[in-house]
């Protein structure tokens, strides 16, 4: 993250920034705001670390190709993409295949899609047992999911 400490003029140099984000995608956070809207720089950053999508401009967060690259690298990048892409079955499927916890950032309109549910239940890393998926499939936010998990943990502690 050397970019963090560089002079502001150097942060405007696309070549310097490109080199920095290739080695660490999260360096995109320290790119000059003018360059955070640069397509090539953003694509390079999300390919190195999908979570760098959070530092992109709203326009790029809504770009299908950039978001696809981000969620393939790290499914949790789904949290930072534009809402219309959180409702895109192909984007959500790629995110869930990369990291099943991405399911909780998806729009409720795609959470019940067969391919997505199959991906969740096919893995031993499923965020919840298959028989419990319906109660989670309509969770509108991460907060609702966390509340549900807390409630279940509390109930299990009470049983013990």
């Amino acid at each position: 993250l050397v970019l963090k400490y560089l002079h502001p003029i150097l942060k405007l140099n696309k070549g310097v920034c490109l080199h920095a984000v290739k080695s660490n995608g999260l360096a995109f956070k320290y790119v000059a705001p003018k360059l955070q809207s640069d397509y090539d720089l953003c694509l390079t950053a999300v390919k190195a670390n999908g979570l760098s999508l959070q530092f992109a401009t709203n326009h790029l967060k809504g770009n299908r190709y950039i978001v696809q690259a981000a969620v393939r690298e790290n499914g949790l990048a789904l949290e930072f993409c534009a809402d219309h892409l959180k409702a895109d079955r192909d984007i959500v499927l790629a995110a869930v295949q990369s990291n099943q916890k991405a399911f909780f950032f998806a729009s409720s309109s795609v959470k019940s899609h067969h391919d997505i549910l199959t991906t969740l239940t096919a893995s031993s890393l499923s965020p919840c047992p298959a028989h419990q998926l319906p109660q989670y499939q309509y969770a509108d936010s991460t907060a609702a999911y966390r509340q549900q998990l807390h409630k279940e943990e509390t109930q299990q502690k009470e049983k013990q």
Side-chain angles (χ1 to χ4, degrees):
L1 296 176
V2 163
L3 198 56
K4 178 179 181 179
Y5 303 104
L6 290 181
H7 190 277
I9 291 176
L10 289 174
K11 292 180 184 182
L12 285 167
N13 182 307
K14 185 175 176 178
V16 169
C17 293
L18 196 58
H19 181 71
V21 300
K22 273 184 186 175
S23 61
N24 184 341
L26 293 177
F28 192 58
K29 175 181 183 177
Y30 302 105
V31 169
K34 181 179 178 180
L35 288 178
Q36 285 180 332
S37 62
D38 185 273
Y39 179 88
D40 296 325
L41 197 55
C42 182
L43 184 60
T44 302
V46 300
K47 283 183 175 181
N49 187 322
L51 296 178
S52 64
L53 182 65
Q54 67 188 296
F55 307 115
T57 60
N58 288 337
H59 175 72
L60 293 175
K61 288 177 182 179
N63 181 288
R64 186 171 178 32
Y65 189 72
I66 290 208
V67 170
Q68 188 83 27
V71 299
R72 282 186 176 159
E73 197 288 318
N74 186 330
L76 296 178
L78 187 65
E79 176 181 6
F80 306 109
C81 75
D83 288 342
H84 74 276
L85 293 175
K86 290 178 183 180
D88 182 299
R89 185 192 67 85
D90 293 329
I91 295 287
V92 172
L93 185 59
V96 170
Q97 287 171 340
S98 172
N99 186 324
Q100 296 206 342
K101 292 178 182 173
F103 174 78
F104 302 103
F105 297 113
S107 169
S108 59
S109 65
V110 294
K111 285 186 174 183
S112 61
H113 195 280
H114 181 266
D115 291 347
I116 294 167
L117 294 175
T118 300
T119 300
L120 286 172
T121 57
S123 171
S124 61
L125 298 176
S126 181
C128 56
H131 67 279
Q132 292 181 351
L133 278 174
Q135 75 185 32
Y136 293 112
Q137 88 187 35
Y138 297 107
D140 289 328
S141 68
T142 306
Y145 168 64
R146 288 183 184 138
Q147 286 176 338
Q148 182 66 30
L149 284 180
H150 179 70
K151 182 179 174 183
E152 289 176 3
E153 287 172 0
T154 304
Q155 289 173 346
Q156 283 195 351
K157 285 179 184 176
E158 289 174 357
K159 290 180 183 177
Q160 294 175 353

